[in-house]
Amino acid sequence: EAQVTQNPRYLITVTGKKLTVTCSQNMNHEYMSWYRQDPGLGLRQIYYSMNVEVTDKGDVPEGYKVSRKEKRNFPLILESPSPNQTSLYFCASSYASVNTGELFFGEGSRLTVL
Amino acid sequence: GDSVTQMEGPVTLSEEAFLTINCTYTATGYPSLFWYVQYPGEGLQLLLKATKADDKGSNKGFEATYRKETTSFHLEKGSVQVSDSAVYFCALTKDGNKLVFGAGTILRVKS
């Protein structure tokens, strides 16, 4: 089954404790992206990647890191989480750009930073 | 910068009612426009898209027309069902790399 898989789905952590949210897709997609969803703000793009070893900032990259060492994986790293990073996070992928290909979303990871 | 504005919700309708969710955008050039839908507890799914002016996107009884003169992409459905209850997001992209979303509109359909 074609899917985007995120882990963990739910996480409660404390300020400053490094964490990684993993994202994996099994569709051989070139493009992957991370979004955060906050009430009243919709989804905002954090980082995106057009291909292996190619990443770029979205609209809200501060406090986050990403890497794309393999085509299928695109982890999101919070080196020192803060309460303002409490949010619902979505990973998404597409076979090409979002213009030409549908964006497939994971089920989301709800992160709470205390 | 580019932005998308959607009507505030929630929108509450009875089954079989007509649905309109307004979406307007601000962007230079000729963005592509999308509607995504998020069902409870799930990620977003593409509902329909339009890539140039006057294009009409349609899917599952929903449709939206790309109106460059009014910078709008309103979502419509002639007869909603309870199963259409979800959050609807209007979005745009210009370069194919960044998708800019509106805040989302909650739709509740009562039986």
Side-chain angles (χ1 to χ4, degrees):
Chain A
E1 180 189 353
Q3 57 186 4
V4 178
T5 304
Q6 298 178 224
N7 280 296
R9 295 287 313 281
Y10 302 91
L11 179 64
I12 300 174
T13 189
V14 295
T15 299
K17 185 175 181 182
K18 180 180 178 179
L19 67 92
T20 299
V21 185
T22 64
C23 174
S24 180
Q25 49 92 5
N26 63 0
M27 296 169 278
N28 201 35
H29 283 171
E30 304 274 334
Y31 175 94
M32 297 186 75
S33 184
W34 276 102
Y35 292 85
R36 60 178 289 173
Q37 182 179 15
D38 301 290
L41 297 176
L43 279 80
R44 293 177 292 167
Q45 191 175 43
I46 303 171
Y47 271 94
Y48 65 93
S49 169
M50 293 300 293
N51 210 328
V52 175
E53 301 293 0
V54 180
T55 63
D56 210 343
K57 296 177 181 178
D59 292 321
V60 289
E62 297 78 20
Y64 305 95
K65 287 174 58 177
V66 293
S67 68
R68 187 94 181 271
K69 293 185 170 57
E70 306 166 279
K71 198 172 190 179
R72 63 183 293 127
N73 296 324
F74 191 45
L76 179 70
I77 302 156
L78 286 72
E79 293 270 4
S80 183
S82 62
N84 65 13
Q85 293 178 298
T86 293
S87 187
L88 178 59
Y89 291 87
F90 287 100
C91 180
S93 72
S94 176
Y95 82 91
S97 71
V98 296
N99 250 335
T100 51
E102 176 179 349
L103 204 55
F104 289 85
F105 283 79
E107 293 184 309
S109 296
R110 186 167 293 282
L111 171 65
T112 302
V113 183
L114 302 175
Chain B
D2 301 336
S3 65
V4 175
T5 301
Q6 295 181 228
M7 61 188 292
E8 287 192 28
V11 174
T12 303
L13 296 173
S14 297
E15 211 164 18
E16 298 185 4
F18 186 87
L19 168 71
T20 299
I21 299 179
N22 290 338
C23 170
T24 57
Y25 67 90
T26 300
T28 56
Y30 301 92
S32 295
L33 302 174
F34 307 82
W35 278 101
Y36 276 80
V37 58
Q38 183 180 32
Y39 297 103
E42 298 182 9
L44 282 71
Q45 305 171 26
L46 179 65
L47 182 59
L48 53 85
K49 70 176 184 181
T51 57
K52 60 183 188 297
D54 299 324
D55 265 3
K56 177 185 283 189
S58 61
N59 186 25
K60 300 181 182 179
F62 291 90
E63 58 182 37
T65 301
Y66 188 167
R67 302 283 188 204
K68 179 124 183 88
E69 63 276 13
T70 54
T71 62
S72 65
F73 193 53
H74 305 321
L75 182 68
E76 296 182 335
K77 187 177 185 185
S79 176
V80 293
Q81 306 300 312
V82 172
S83 57
D84 293 327
S85 298
V87 184
Y88 292 81
F89 291 92
C90 186
L92 69 80
T93 186
K94 284 197 310 191
D95 61 3
N97 296 327
K98 293 176 60 173
L99 201 56
V100 177
F101 285 89
T105 302
I106 297 172
L107 171 64
R108 298 186 180 130
V109 181
K110 304 180 298 183
S111 59

